[in-house]
Amino acid sequence: MPVPSARKWSHEAIVARASARPERMQKLKVAANSGQNPGFEYLQECWNDDPALQIVIKKLLAKFPQWGIAIVDGVLVDWNE
């Protein structure tokens, strides 16, 4: 498992993630209810930036395998590319 960078876990980075989390959660909830893929880039950004959202994303990918996105060794992979 890679060692997280100090910058990612700085106070400023944690505060920024906490501020962005409600908006990101809302977009992920809309995706869960509608079945519309929010996009690989968006999911990857959330996955890499906010560990708290990884659980939500795991559930989304399990619910919508037709999106063609999987988790391989802790990394999101787009099978369509």
Side-chain angles (χ1 to χ4, degrees):
M1 187 156 253
V3 177
S5 69
R7 186 173 171 208
K8 183 175 182 175
W9 298 106
S10 70
H11 176 71
E12 293 80 14
I14 292 169
V15 169
R17 272 196 301 278
S19 297
R21 189 173 296 142
E23 183 179 328
R24 288 175 166 174
M25 279 295 296
Q26 182 59 34
K27 187 168 182 174
L28 294 173
K29 284 181 185 178
V30 168
N33 291 332
S34 69
Q36 282 198 313
N37 185 343
F40 178 74
E41 292 80 19
Y42 182 78
L43 291 172
Q44 189 172 42
E45 177 185 318
C46 292
W47 180 270
N48 291 334
D49 190 44
D50 193 340
L53 296 178
Q54 290 181 0
I55 295 167
V56 176
I57 294 169
K58 284 179 185 180
K59 290 179 182 179
L60 271 176
L61 298 181
K63 186 175 180 180
F64 300 107
Q66 66 270 26
W67 290 355
I69 301 171
I71 303 162
V72 178
D73 295 330
V75 177
L76 290 185
V77 177
D78 187 350
W79 293 113
N80 297 323
E81 290 189 8

Coordinates of all heavy atoms in Angstrom, one line a residue:
M1 N 0.8 -1.2 0.0 CA 0.0 0.0 0.0 C 0.9 1.2 0.0 O 1.8 1.3 0.8 CB -0.9 0.0 1.2 CG -1.9 1.0 1.3 SD -3.3 0.5 2.3 CE -4.5 0.2 1.0
P2 N 0.6 2.2 -0.9 CA 1.5 3.4 -1.0 C 1.4 4.2 0.3 O 0.3 4.3 0.9 CB 1.0 4.1 -2.2 CG -0.4 3.6 -2.5 CD -0.4 2.2 -1.9
V3 N 2.4 4.9 0.6 CA 2.4 5.8 1.8 C 1.8 7.1 1.3 O 2.2 7.7 0.3 CB 3.9 6.1 2.3 CG1 3.9 7.1 3.4 CG2 4.5 4.8 2.7
P4 N 0.7 7.6 2.0 CA 0.1 8.8 1.6 C 1.0 10.0 1.8 O 1.8 10.1 2.7 CB -1.1 8.9 2.6 CG -0.9 8.0 3.6 CD 0.1 7.0 3.2
S5 N 0.9 10.9 0.8 CA 1.8 12.1 0.9 C 1.3 13.0 2.0 O 0.2 13.1 2.4 CB 1.7 12.8 -0.4 OG 0.5 13.4 -0.6
A6 N 2.3 13.7 2.6 CA 2.0 14.6 3.7 C 1.1 15.7 3.3 O 0.2 16.2 4.0 CB 3.3 15.2 4.3
R7 N 1.2 16.1 2.0 CA 0.4 17.2 1.5 C -1.1 16.8 1.5 O -2.0 17.6 1.8 CB 0.8 17.6 0.1 CG 0.2 18.7 -0.5 CD 0.8 19.1 -1.8 NE 0.0 20.2 -2.4 CZ 0.0 20.3 -3.7 NH1 0.7 19.6 -4.5 NH2 -0.8 21.3 -4.2
K8 N -1.4 15.6 1.1 CA -2.8 15.1 1.1 C -3.4 15.1 2.4 O -4.6 15.3 2.6 CB -2.8 13.7 0.5 CG -4.2 13.1 0.3 CD -4.2 11.8 -0.4 CE -5.6 11.3 -0.6 NZ -5.7 10.1 -1.4
W9 N -2.6 14.9 3.5 CA -3.1 14.8 4.8 C -2.9 16.1 5.6 O -3.0 16.1 6.8 CB -2.6 13.6 5.5 CG -3.0 12.3 4.8 CD1 -2.3 11.5 4.0 CD2 -4.4 11.8 4.7 NE1 -3.1 10.6 3.4 CE2 -4.4 10.7 3.9 CE3 -5.6 12.2 5.3 CZ2 -5.5 10.0 3.6 CZ3 -6.7 11.5 5.0 CH2 -6.7 10.4 4.2
S10 N -2.5 17.1 4.9 CA -2.3 18.4 5.7 C -3.6 18.9 6.1 O -4.7 18.5 5.6 CB -1.6 19.4 4.7 OG -2.6 19.8 3.7
H11 N -3.6 19.8 7.1 CA -4.8 20.4 7.6 C -5.7 21.1 6.5 O -6.9 20.9 6.4 CB -4.5 21.4 8.7 CG -5.7 22.1 9.2 ND1 -6.7 21.5 10.0 CD2 -6.2 23.4 9.1 CE1 -7.6 22.4 10.3 NE2 -7.3 23.5 9.8
E12 N -5.0 21.8 5.6 CA -5.7 22.5 4.5 C -6.4 21.5 3.6 O -7.5 21.7 3.2 CB -4.7 23.4 3.8 CG -4.2 24.5 4.5 CD -3.0 24.2 5.5 OE1 -2.4 23.1 5.4 OE2 -2.7 25.0 6.4
A13 N -5.7 20.4 3.3 CA -6.3 19.4 2.4 C -7.5 18.7 3.0 O -8.5 18.5 2.4 CB -5.2 18.4 2.0
I14 N -7.4 18.4 4.3 CA -8.5 17.8 5.0 C -9.7 18.7 5.1 O -10.8 18.3 4.8 CB -8.1 17.4 6.4 CG1 -7.1 16.2 6.3 CG2 -9.3 17.0 7.3 CD1 -6.4 15.9 7.6
V15 N -9.5 20.0 5.3 CA -10.6 21.0 5.3 C -11.2 21.1 3.9 O -12.4 21.2 3.8 CB -10.1 22.4 5.9 CG1 -11.1 23.4 5.6 CG2 -9.7 22.2 7.3
A16 N -10.4 21.2 2.9 CA -10.9 21.3 1.5 C -11.7 20.1 1.2 O -12.8 20.2 0.6 CB -9.7 21.4 0.6
R17 N -11.3 18.9 1.6 CA -12.1 17.6 1.3 C -13.4 17.7 2.0 O -14.5 17.4 1.5 CB -11.3 16.4 1.7 CG -10.4 15.8 0.7 CD -10.0 14.4 1.0 NE -9.3 14.3 2.3 CZ -8.0 14.5 2.5 NH1 -7.3 14.9 1.5 NH2 -7.5 14.3 3.6
A18 N -13.4 18.1 3.3 CA -14.6 18.2 4.1 C -15.6 19.2 3.5 O -16.8 19.0 3.5 CB -14.3 18.6 5.5
S19 N -15.1 20.3 2.9 CA -15.9 21.3 2.3 C -16.5 20.8 1.0 O -17.7 21.1 0.7 CB -15.1 22.6 2.0 OG -14.6 23.1 3.2
A20 N -15.8 20.0 0.2 CA -16.3 19.5 -1.0 C -17.2 18.3 -0.9 O -18.0 18.0 -1.8 CB -15.1 19.2 -1.9
R21 N -17.1 17.6 0.2 CA -17.8 16.3 0.4 C -19.3 16.4 0.2 O -19.9 15.6 -0.5 CB -17.4 15.7 1.7 CG -18.0 14.3 1.9 CD -17.5 13.6 3.1 NE -16.0 13.4 3.1 CZ -15.2 13.6 4.1 NH1 -15.7 13.9 5.3 NH2 -13.9 13.4 4.0
P22 N -20.0 17.4 0.8 CA -21.5 17.4 0.6 C -21.9 17.5 -0.8 O -22.8 16.8 -1.2 CB -21.9 18.6 1.4 CG -20.8 18.9 2.4 CD -19.5 18.4 1.8
E23 N -21.2 18.3 -1.6 CA -21.6 18.5 -3.0 C -21.3 17.2 -3.8 O -22.1 16.7 -4.6 CB -20.8 19.6 -3.6 CG -21.2 19.9 -5.1 CD -20.4 21.1 -5.6 OE1 -20.1 22.0 -4.9 OE2 -20.1 21.1 -6.8
R24 N -20.1 16.6 -3.5 CA -19.8 15.3 -4.1 C -20.8 14.2 -3.8 O -21.2 13.4 -4.6 CB -18.4 14.9 -3.8 CG -17.3 15.8 -4.4 CD -16.0 15.4 -3.9 NE -14.9 16.0 -4.8 CZ -13.6 15.9 -4.5 NH1 -13.2 15.3 -3.4 NH2 -12.7 16.5 -5.3
M25 N -21.1 14.1 -2.5 CA -22.1 13.1 -2.0 C -23.4 13.3 -2.7 O -24.0 12.3 -3.1 CB -22.3 13.2 -0.5 CG -21.2 12.6 0.3 SD -21.2 10.8 0.1 CE -22.8 10.3 0.7
Q26 N -23.9 14.5 -2.9 CA -25.1 14.8 -3.6 C -25.1 14.3 -5.0 O -26.0 13.6 -5.5 CB -25.5 16.3 -3.5 CG -26.8 16.6 -4.2 CD -28.0 15.9 -3.5 OE1 -28.0 15.7 -2.3 NE2 -29.0 15.6 -4.3
K27 N -24.0 14.5 -5.7 CA -23.9 14.1 -7.1 C -23.8 12.6 -7.1 O -24.4 11.9 -8.0 CB -22.6 14.7 -7.7 CG -22.5 14.4 -9.2 CD -21.4 15.2 -9.9 CE -21.4 14.9 -11.4 NZ -20.5 15.8 -12.1
L28 N -23.2 11.9 -6.2 CA -23.1 10.5 -6.2 C -24.5 9.9 -5.8 O -24.9 8.8 -6.3 CB -22.0 10.0 -5.2 CG -20.6 10.3 -5.6 CD1 -19.6 10.0 -4.5 CD2 -20.2 9.7 -6.9
K29 N -25.2 10.5 -4.9 CA -26.6 10.1 -4.6 C -27.5 10.2 -5.8 O -28.3 9.3 -6.1 CB -27.2 10.9 -3.5 CG -26.6 10.5 -2.1 CD -27.2 11.3 -1.0 CE -26.6 11.0 0.3 NZ -27.2 11.9 1.4
V30 N -27.4 11.3 -6.6 CA -28.2 11.4 -7.8 C -27.8 10.3 -8.8 O -28.7 9.7 -9.4 CB -27.9 12.8 -8.5 CG1 -28.5 12.8 -9.9 CG2 -28.5 13.9 -7.6
A31 N -26.6 9.9 -8.9 CA -26.2 8.8 -9.8 C -26.8 7.5 -9.3 O -27.2 6.7 -10.1 CB -24.6 8.7 -9.8
A32 N -26.8 7.3 -8.0 CA -27.3 6.1 -7.4 C -28.8 6.0 -7.7 O -29.3 4.9 -7.9 CB -27.0 6.0 -5.9
N33 N -29.5 7.1 -7.6 CA -31.0 7.1 -7.8 C -31.4 7.0 -9.3 O -32.4 6.4 -9.6 CB -31.6 8.3 -7.1 CG -31.5 8.2 -5.6 OD1 -31.5 7.1 -5.1 ND2 -31.5 9.3 -5.0
S34 N -30.5 7.6 -10.1 CA -30.9 7.7 -11.6 C -30.3 6.6 -12.4 O -30.7 6.3 -13.5 CB -30.5 9.1 -12.1 OG -29.1 9.2 -12.2
G35 N -29.1 6.1 -11.9 CA -28.4 5.1 -12.7 C -27.5 5.8 -13.8 O -26.8 5.1 -14.5
Q36 N -27.4 7.1 -13.7 CA -26.6 7.8 -14.7 C -25.2 7.9 -14.2 O -24.9 8.3 -13.1 CB -27.1 9.2 -14.9 CG -28.3 9.3 -15.9 CD -28.5 10.7 -16.4 OE1 -28.5 11.7 -15.7 NE2 -28.7 10.8 -17.7
N37 N -24.2 7.4 -15.0 CA -22.8 7.4 -14.7 C -22.3 8.9 -14.6 O -22.4 9.6 -15.6 CB -22.1 6.7 -15.8 CG -20.6 6.5 -15.5 OD1 -20.0 7.2 -14.6 ND2 -20.0 5.6 -16.2
P38 N -21.8 9.3 -13.5 CA -21.3 10.7 -13.4 C -20.0 10.9 -14.1 O -19.5 12.0 -14.2 CB -21.0 10.9 -11.9 CG -20.9 9.5 -11.3 CD -21.7 8.6 -12.2
G39 N -19.4 9.8 -14.7 CA -18.2 9.9 -15.5 C -17.0 9.3 -14.7 O -16.9 9.5 -13.5
F40 N -16.2 8.6 -15.5 CA -15.0 8.0 -14.9 C -14.1 9.0 -14.2 O -13.6 8.8 -13.1 CB -14.2 7.2 -15.9 CG -13.0 6.5 -15.4 CD1 -13.1 5.4 -14.6 CD2 -11.7 7.0 -15.7 CE1 -11.9 4.8 -14.0 CE2 -10.6 6.5 -15.2 CZ -10.7 5.3 -14.3
E41 N -13.8 10.1 -14.9 CA -12.9 11.1 -14.4 C -13.4 11.7 -13.0 O -12.7 11.9 -12.1 CB -12.7 12.3 -15.3 CG -12.0 11.9 -16.6 CD -12.8 11.2 -17.6 OE1 -14.1 11.3 -17.6 OE2 -12.3 10.5 -18.5
Y42 N -14.7 11.9 -12.9 CA -15.3 12.4 -11.7 C -15.2 11.4 -10.6 O -14.8 11.7 -9.4 CB -16.8 12.8 -11.9 CG -17.4 13.4 -10.6 CD1 -17.1 14.7 -10.3 CD2 -18.2 12.6 -9.8 CE1 -17.7 15.2 -9.1 CE2 -18.8 13.1 -8.7 CZ -18.5 14.4 -8.3 OH -19.0 15.0 -7.2
L43 N -15.5 10.1 -10.9 CA -15.4 9.1 -9.9 C -14.0 8.9 -9.4 O -13.7 8.8 -8.2 CB -16.0 7.8 -10.4 CG -17.5 7.7 -10.6 CD1 -17.8 6.4 -11.4 CD2 -18.2 7.8 -9.3
Q44 N -13.0 9.0 -10.4 CA -11.6 8.8 -10.0 C -11.1 10.0 -9.2 O -10.4 9.8 -8.2 CB -10.8 8.7 -11.3 CG -9.4 8.3 -11.1 CD -8.6 8.1 -12.4 OE1 -8.8 8.8 -13.3 NE2 -7.8 7.0 -12.4
E45 N -11.6 11.2 -9.5 CA -11.2 12.3 -8.7 C -11.7 12.2 -7.2 O -10.9 12.4 -6.3 CB -11.8 13.6 -9.3 CG -11.5 14.9 -8.5 CD -12.3 16.1 -9.1 OE1 -12.3 16.2 -10.3 OE2 -12.8 16.9 -8.3
C46 N -12.9 11.8 -7.1 CA -13.5 11.6 -5.7 C -12.8 10.5 -5.0 O -12.4 10.6 -3.9 CB -15.0 11.2 -5.8 SG -16.0 12.6 -6.4
W47 N -12.5 9.4 -5.7 CA -11.8 8.2 -5.2 C -10.4 8.6 -4.7 O -10.1 8.2 -3.6 CB -11.7 7.1 -6.3 CG -11.1 5.9 -5.8 CD1 -9.7 5.6 -5.9 CD2 -11.7 4.7 -5.2 NE1 -9.5 4.3 -5.4 CE2 -10.7 3.8 -5.0 CE3 -13.0 4.4 -4.9 CZ2 -10.9 2.5 -4.4 CZ3 -13.2 3.2 -4.3 CH2 -12.2 2.2 -4.1
N48 N -9.7 9.3 -5.5 CA -8.3 9.6 -5.1 C -8.2 10.7 -4.1 O -7.2 10.7 -3.3 CB -7.5 10.0 -6.4 CG -7.3 8.9 -7.3 OD1 -7.3 7.7 -7.0 ND2 -7.2 9.2 -8.6
D49 N -9.2 11.6 -4.1 CA -9.1 12.8 -3.2 C -9.7 12.5 -1.8 O -9.3 13.1 -0.8 CB -9.8 14.0 -3.9 CG -9.5 15.2 -3.1 OD1 -8.3 15.5 -2.7 OD2 -10.5 16.0 -2.9
D50 N -10.8 11.7 -1.7 CA -11.5 11.6 -0.5 C -11.8 10.2 -0.1 O -12.7 9.6 -0.6 CB -12.8 12.4 -0.6 CG -13.5 12.7 0.7 OD1 -13.2 11.9 1.7 OD2 -14.4 13.5 0.8
P51 N -11.0 9.6 0.8 CA -11.2 8.2 1.2 C -12.6 7.9 1.8 O -13.1 6.8 1.6 CB -10.2 8.0 2.3 CG -9.1 9.1 2.1 CD -9.9 10.2 1.5
A52 N -13.3 8.9 2.3 CA -14.6 8.7 2.8 C -15.6 8.4 1.7 O -16.6 7.8 1.9 CB -15.1 9.9 3.6
L53 N -15.3 8.9 0.5 CA -16.2 8.6 -0.6 C -16.0 7.3 -1.3 O -16.8 6.8 -2.1 CB -16.1 9.7 -1.6 CG -16.6 11.1 -1.2 CD1 -16.4 12.2 -2.2 CD2 -18.0 11.1 -0.7
Q54 N -14.9 6.6 -0.9 CA -14.6 5.3 -1.6 C -15.7 4.3 -1.3 O -16.0 3.5 -2.2 CB -13.2 4.8 -1.1 CG -12.1 5.7 -1.7 CD -10.7 5.2 -1.3 OE1 -10.6 4.2 -0.6 NE2 -9.7 5.9 -1.8
I55 N -16.2 4.3 -0.1 CA -17.3 3.4 0.2 C -18.5 3.6 -0.6 O -19.1 2.6 -1.2 CB -17.7 3.5 1.7 CG1 -16.5 3.1 2.6 CG2 -18.9 2.7 2.1 CD1 -16.6 3.4 4.1
V56 N -18.9 4.8 -0.8 CA -20.0 5.2 -1.7 C -19.8 4.8 -3.1 O -20.7 4.2 -3.8 CB -20.3 6.7 -1.6 CG1 -21.4 7.1 -2.5 CG2 -20.6 7.1 -0.2
I57 N -18.6 5.0 -3.6 CA -18.2 4.6 -5.0 C -18.2 3.1 -5.1 O -18.7 2.6 -6.1 CB -16.9 5.3 -5.4 CG1 -17.1 6.8 -5.4 CG2 -16.4 4.7 -6.7 CD1 -15.8 7.6 -5.6
K58 N -17.7 2.4 -4.2 CA -17.8 0.9 -4.2 C -19.2 0.4 -4.4 O -19.5 -0.5 -5.2 CB -17.1 0.3 -3.0 CG -15.6 0.4 -2.9 CD -15.1 -0.2 -1.6 CE -13.6 -0.1 -1.5 NZ -13.1 -0.7 -0.2
K59 N -20.1 1.0 -3.6 CA -21.5 0.6 -3.7 C -22.1 0.9 -5.0 O -22.9 0.1 -5.6 CB -22.3 1.2 -2.6 CG -22.0 0.7 -1.2 CD -22.8 1.4 -0.1 CE -22.4 0.9 1.3 NZ -23.2 1.5 2.3
L60 N -21.8 2.1 -5.6 CA -22.3 2.5 -6.9 C -21.8 1.5 -8.0 O -22.6 1.1 -8.8 CB -21.8 3.9 -7.2 CG -22.6 5.1 -6.8 CD1 -21.9 6.3 -7.2 CD2 -24.0 5.0 -7.5
L61 N -20.5 1.2 -7.9 CA -20.0 0.3 -9.0 C -20.5 -1.1 -8.9 O -20.7 -1.8 -9.9 CB -18.4 0.2 -8.9 CG -17.8 1.6 -9.1 CD1 -16.2 1.5 -9.0 CD2 -18.2 2.2 -10.4
A62 N -20.9 -1.6 -7.6 CA -21.5 -2.9 -7.5 C -22.9 -2.8 -8.0 O -23.4 -3.8 -8.6 CB -21.5 -3.3 -6.0
K63 N -23.6 -1.7 -7.8 CA -25.0 -1.5 -8.3 C -25.1 -1.4 -9.8 O -26.1 -1.8 -10.4 CB -25.6 -0.3 -7.6 CG -27.1 -0.1 -7.8 CD -27.6 1.0 -7.0 CE -29.1 1.2 -7.2 NZ -29.6 2.3 -6.4
F64 N -24.1 -0.8 -10.4 CA -24.2 -0.5 -11.8 C -22.9 -1.0 -12.6 O -22.1 -0.3 -13.1 CB -24.3 1.0 -12.0 CG -25.5 1.7 -11.4 CD1 -25.4 2.4 -10.3 CD2 -26.7 1.4 -12.0 CE1 -26.5 3.0 -9.7 CE2 -27.8 2.0 -11.4 CZ -27.7 2.8 -10.2
P65 N -22.8 -2.4 -12.7 CA -21.7 -2.9 -13.4 C -21.7 -2.6 -14.9 O -20.6 -2.6 -15.5 CB -21.9 -4.4 -13.2 CG -23.3 -4.6 -12.9 CD -23.8 -3.4 -12.2
Q66 N -22.8 -2.2 -15.4 CA -22.9 -1.8 -16.8 C -22.1 -0.5 -17.1 O -21.8 -0.2 -18.3 CB -24.3 -1.6 -17.3 CG -25.1 -0.5 -16.6 CD -25.8 -0.8 -15.3 OE1 -25.4 -1.8 -14.6 NE2 -26.9 -0.1 -15.0
W67 N -21.7 0.2 -16.1 CA -20.8 1.4 -16.3 C -19.4 1.0 -16.8 O -18.7 1.8 -17.4 CB -20.7 2.2 -15.0 CG -21.9 2.9 -14.6 CD1 -23.1 3.0 -15.3 CD2 -22.1 3.7 -13.4 NE1 -24.0 3.7 -14.6 CE2 -23.4 4.2 -13.5 CE3 -21.3 4.0 -12.4 CZ2 -24.0 5.0 -12.4 CZ3 -21.8 4.8 -11.3 CH2 -23.2 5.2 -11.4
G68 N -19.0 -0.3 -16.6 CA -17.7 -0.7 -17.0 C -16.6 -0.2 -16.2 O -15.5 -0.1 -16.7
I69 N -16.8 0.1 -14.9 CA -15.8 0.6 -14.1 C -15.6 -0.4 -12.9 O -16.6 -0.8 -12.3 CB -16.1 2.0 -13.5 CG1 -16.3 3.0 -14.7 CG2 -15.0 2.5 -12.6 CD1 -16.9 4.4 -14.2
A70 N -14.4 -0.7 -12.6 CA -14.1 -1.7 -11.6 C -12.9 -1.1 -10.7 O -12.2 -0.2 -11.0 CB -13.7 -3.0 -12.2
I71 N -12.8 -1.8 -9.5 CA -11.7 -1.5 -8.6 C -10.7 -2.6 -8.7 O -11.1 -3.8 -8.4 CB -12.2 -1.3 -7.2 CG1 -13.3 -0.3 -7.1 CG2 -11.0 -1.0 -6.2 CD1 -14.2 -0.3 -5.9
V72 N -9.5 -2.3 -9.1 CA -8.4 -3.4 -9.2 C -7.3 -2.9 -8.4 O -6.7 -1.8 -8.6 CB -8.0 -3.5 -10.7 CG1 -6.9 -4.6 -10.8 CG2 -9.2 -3.9 -11.6
D73 N -7.0 -3.7 -7.4 CA -5.8 -3.4 -6.5 C -6.0 -1.9 -5.9 O -5.0 -1.2 -5.8 CB -4.5 -3.5 -7.2 CG -4.2 -5.0 -7.5 OD1 -4.7 -5.9 -6.8 OD2 -3.5 -5.2 -8.5
G74 N -7.2 -1.6 -5.6 CA -7.4 -0.3 -4.9 C -7.4 0.9 -5.9 O -7.5 2.1 -5.4
V75 N -7.5 0.6 -7.2 CA -7.4 1.7 -8.2 C -8.7 1.5 -9.1 O -9.0 0.4 -9.5 CB -6.1 1.6 -9.0 CG1 -6.1 2.6 -10.1 CG2 -4.9 1.8 -8.2
L76 N -9.3 2.6 -9.5 CA -10.4 2.6 -10.4 C -9.9 2.3 -11.8 O -8.9 3.0 -12.2 CB -11.2 3.9 -10.4 CG -12.0 4.2 -9.1 CD1 -12.9 5.4 -9.3 CD2 -13.0 3.0 -8.8
V77 N -10.6 1.4 -12.5 CA -10.2 1.1 -13.9 C -11.5 1.2 -14.7 O -12.5 0.6 -14.4 CB -9.6 -0.4 -13.9 CG1 -9.3 -0.7 -15.4 CG2 -8.4 -0.5 -13.0
D78 N -11.3 1.9 -15.9 CA -12.4 2.0 -16.8 C -12.2 0.9 -17.9 O -11.2 0.9 -18.7 CB -12.4 3.3 -17.5 CG -13.6 3.6 -18.4 OD1 -14.3 2.6 -18.7 OD2 -13.8 4.7 -18.8
W79 N -13.0 -0.2 -17.9 CA -12.9 -1.3 -18.8 C -13.2 -0.9 -20.2 O -12.9 -1.6 -21.2 CB -13.8 -2.4 -18.4 CG -13.4 -3.1 -17.1 CD1 -14.0 -3.1 -16.0 CD2 -12.1 -3.8 -16.9 NE1 -13.3 -3.7 -15.0 CE2 -12.2 -4.2 -15.5 CE3 -11.0 -4.1 -17.6 CZ2 -11.1 -4.9 -14.9 CZ3 -10.0 -4.8 -17.0 CH2 -10.0 -5.2 -15.7
N80 N -13.9 0.3 -20.4 CA -14.2 0.7 -21.8 C -13.0 1.3 -22.5 O -13.1 1.6 -23.7 CB -15.4 1.7 -21.7 CG -16.6 1.0 -21.2 OD1 -16.9 -0.2 -21.4 ND2 -17.4 1.7 -20.4
E81 N -12.0 1.6 -21.8 CA -10.8 2.3 -22.5 C -9.7 1.3 -22.7 O -9.5 0.3 -22.1 CB -10.3 3.4 -21.6 CG -11.2 4.5 -21.6 CD -10.7 5.8 -20.9 OE1 -9.5 5.8 -20.6 OE2 -11.4 6.7 -20.8

